[in-house]
Amino acid sequence: MKNQQLFDRIAKEVSECLATNTEDITPENGDTFFGLPKPYSVPTPSDCFHEMYYWDTYFTNVGLIAIGNVEQAKNNVEDISSMIERFGFMPNGSRRRYLKHSQPPFFAQMVRELPRLDDVSAKCFYEAMKTEHKFFLKNRTFSNGLAHYGFFATDEDTIQSRLGHWKRRTGIEPDPDPSVEVGNYLSYCESGWDCNPRWEKHGFQYAAIDLNSLLWNLEETLALFAAKFEPAKADEWKRIADQRKAEMNAFLWNEKEGCFLDRNVETGAFSSVFSAASFYPLYFGLATQEQAKSTLKKLPLLEREWGIMPCQEVETEAHFQWGAPTGWPCIQWMLVGALEKYGFTDDARRVAEKYIALVEKVEAKTGQLWEKYDVITGEADAGAEYNTPPMLGWTAGVYLKCKLILDGKKTV
C-alpha cells in the first residue's frame, strides 16, 4: 500500500483518540459533560471538542470498523444508545448545551454496520431506535409525514446569543423576527450543515432529503430488527418505511431536475440549490436505478479537482462553510458510498482518489489531518470560522475506509 506508514499512524491515532468516563450515568457529570458508560471517540487530540458528537461518530466508526477495531466502534454505539434512552433523543453532543437539538440520525446505520452483534446488545439498540424514531415523529414531522430539522424552544438569553452567532458565522443580518432567525439557525445546527445555502433563511420549513433518507433507513432497520424481537411489528415498520418512501417520491423528487431536492412545505417551492444531500437516497438504497442515473448527471455541479463540495456554487455575499469550496470528509464518503451502491464504480473510485490525494498532500505539508479542506485549491481549512484544531475523527475514518477500498482490501 502506498503511504503505508501514514495509514498505520492514522489508524493507531484514531483508535486512541478517546475520552474515558466510566462513572455512573447521571444527568450531571462535572460542570457540563454527561457521564457515559464506555470510552468514546472524540474528534481531535487537541484541547477542544472533547465531547462526543453524534453524526461525526458515524464516520469515525466507518474507519474503525474498516481497520477491525470493532470493540471501539461498539463502545461508541453503546454510548449513543445510552443518551437516546436517557433523553429521548441523541443530542448534538454529550454536553448540556447541546440539548437544544439533535443531529442527523445515523444511529440505525451505525448499528447495522456493527459486525458480530450479540442478541442482548441488538435488543437494547432496537429499543433505542424506537425511541429515536418517536422523537422525530413527534417533534420534527410535517402533516404530510415528511420530516424537517428543528430545535427546542429556548430562552431570551440564548436567542440573543444565537442571533450573534448567525451574523458572525454567515455575515447575514438577522431577520427582524428573532424567533424566525433563531429557529433557522438552530435547524441548521441540527442538520450538521451549519451553515449552508440550501434553505435560504427558513431551514425548519423544508422537508430535507438527507433527514428523510436517514429516517427511511431507520424505519427499514426497525422492520429488520422487529422480525427478530417483535415479529408482530415487523410488517407495520415496513409499511411506515414504504409510506415515507412514497411521500419522498411524490414530494421531493423533482422530475424536471431529475433528482431529489429539499422542498419548502409552506410554499411548495423546491430549493434552488443542488447539494450532496441529493445523493443520500442513493447511499441508503432508496432510489431506483433510473433515479440514481439521473442524479449522477448532476455530479459535475459538486465535483472539483480535489473532491466534492456540499452545495453547488451560488452567487451570494454570505459565507457558508457548508457551501463552495469546502470539502467535508463526511460528504466525500456519502458520495463514494452512494456511487458504489449503484454500480458507478469508476465515479466512486475517482472521488475516493481525490480525497486521499488531498488528505495526503496537506498532511505532507502540515503534518496533520484537518476538519475540512478546500477542494478547489487543495489546501486545508476552507473558510475557517474558528481556529480549527488538528482533526482525526471523521477525517481519519473516511481516509482509512477509502484507502482500503482503493487498495482492494477486504474490510470487516
Side-chain angles (χ1 to χ4, degrees):
M1 178 189 289
K2 185 179 179 182
N3 284 320
Q4 180 71 54
Q5 188 174 10
L6 175 61
F7 180 93
D8 293 342
R9 176 172 70 81
I10 291 173
K12 179 176 184 293
E13 289 179 354
V14 76
S15 293
E16 295 175 349
C17 194
L18 307 173
T20 305
N21 191 333
T22 56
E23 297 182 31
D24 291 339
I25 297 176
T26 59
E28 293 182 306
N29 187 69
D31 293 333
T32 62
F33 284 95
F34 300 127
L36 296 173
K38 295 292 179 70
Y40 56 90
S41 295
V42 294
T44 172
S46 70
D47 292 334
C48 62
F49 297 141
H50 263 209
E51 51 276 335
M52 182 184 212
Y53 287 90
Y54 188 2
W55 78 314
D56 302 54
T57 305
Y58 168 67
F59 297 95
T60 302
N61 267 20
V62 164
L64 289 172
I65 293 172
I67 62 173
N69 191 348
V70 177
E71 179 181 3
Q72 183 52 41
K74 187 181 179 189
N75 285 344
N76 289 333
V77 176
E78 289 184 6
D79 285 332
I80 291 174
S81 179
S82 75
M83 281 189 276
I84 291 173
E85 292 296 355
R86 190 195 318 175
F87 301 116
F89 72 105
M90 174 59 196
N92 185 132
S94 59
R95 280 185 188 265
R96 179 167 297 279
R97 68 170 180 261
Y98 289 134
L99 285 172
K100 296 294 183 186
H101 49 79
S102 185
Q103 269 197 330
F106 272 92
F107 178 67
Q109 188 64 16
M110 293 174 75
V111 173
R112 291 184 75 139
E113 292 180 9
L114 281 177
R116 305 184 297 276
L117 187 58
D118 62 273
D119 284 352
V120 174
S121 296
K123 181 63 165 62
C124 177
F125 298 154
Y126 172 59
E127 295 300 325
M129 283 188 279
K130 289 195 291 185
T131 299
E132 180 166 63
H133 186 268
K134 185 182 298 183
F135 167 80
F136 279 96
L137 192 66
K138 178 181 178 181
N139 299 289
R140 301 289 189 265
T141 302
F142 294 116
S143 60
N144 66 1
L146 295 179
H148 62 93
Y149 291 112
F151 61 99
F152 290 118
T154 190
D155 57 83
E156 184 61 30
D157 288 344
T158 303
I159 287 175
Q160 294 306 316
S161 170
R162 294 298 187 268
L163 289 176
H165 288 181
W166 172 257
K167 183 176 180 180
R168 175 178 59 81
R169 297 185 68 180
T170 65
I172 299 174
E173 285 295 330
D175 192 283
D177 184 345
S179 64
V180 170
E181 197 65 80
V182 171
N184 181 57
Y185 177 67
L186 292 180
S187 66
Y188 275 65
C189 292
E190 184 163 272
S191 78
W193 294 44
D194 50 321
C195 298
N196 73 79
R198 287 165 59 186
W199 308 312
E200 298 173 328
K201 294 175 66 176
H202 298 92
F204 53 90
Q205 294 179 0
Y206 277 81
I209 317 159
D210 44 354
L211 177 56
N212 283 283
S213 298
L214 283 157
L215 291 176
W216 176 80
N217 184 64
L218 169 56
E219 290 156 356
E220 287 278 304
T221 307
L222 282 165
L224 181 68
F225 276 61
K228 183 177 183 64
F229 299 113
E230 283 187 299
K233 301 279 188 170
D235 287 345
E236 176 64 10
W237 282 117
K238 188 68 172 75
R239 182 193 67 77
I240 291 171
D242 289 346
Q243 186 175 351
R244 184 179 302 277
K245 181 177 181 179
E247 191 59 44
M248 288 179 68
N249 276 298
F251 192 74
L252 297 181
W253 177 258
N254 186 308
E255 191 67 38
K256 180 180 177 182
E257 295 295 330
C259 62
F260 289 95
L261 288 174
D262 302 316
R263 192 171 184 182
N264 189 312
V265 169
E266 293 195 14
T267 67
F270 285 100
S271 172
S272 61
V273 178
F274 179 75
S275 77
S278 291
F279 286 89
Y280 273 62
L282 282 65
Y283 187 84
F284 292 109
L286 181 152
T288 66
Q289 191 66 34
E290 287 306 310
Q291 287 173 330
K293 288 180 180 177
S294 181
T295 303
L296 180 63
K297 295 176 183 177
K298 311 285 282 188
L299 184 57
L301 291 174
L302 305 178
E303 187 175 359
R304 296 295 180 267
E305 182 179 355
W306 294 96
I308 305 297
M309 303 182 297
C311 299
Q312 69 179 101
E313 294 180 80
V314 294
E315 290 187 14
T316 175
E317 294 181 0
H319 167 66
F320 297 107
Q321 69 167 351
W322 286 84
T326 312
W328 293 87
C330 53
I331 297 298
Q332 315 309 306
W333 174 245
M334 294 304 292
L335 267 289
V336 172
L339 296 170
E340 268 203 324
K341 186 177 288 287
Y342 284 82
F344 307 132
T345 306
D346 290 345
D347 298 287
R349 290 184 66 87
R350 184 180 68 252
V351 172
E353 287 168 351
K354 287 183 176 186
Y355 176 68
I356 289 169
L358 175 58
V359 170
E360 292 180 350
K361 168 182 177 288
V362 176
E363 192 281 334
K365 182 177 180 180
T366 67
Q368 301 287 356
L369 274 62
W370 299 93
E371 180 185 33
K372 55 188 183 291
Y373 298 87
D374 187 318
V375 296
I376 293 178
T377 66
E379 299 298 333
D381 205 22
E385 293 183 349
Y386 40 79
N387 185 19
T388 307
M391 299 293 289
L392 281 171
W394 60 13
T395 309
V398 174
Y399 173 83
L400 295 169
K401 181 70 171 181
C402 287
K403 193 76 171 172
L404 288 169
I405 287 174
L406 290 181
D407 281 13
K409 300 290 180 64
K410 186 179 186 301
T411 58
V412 176

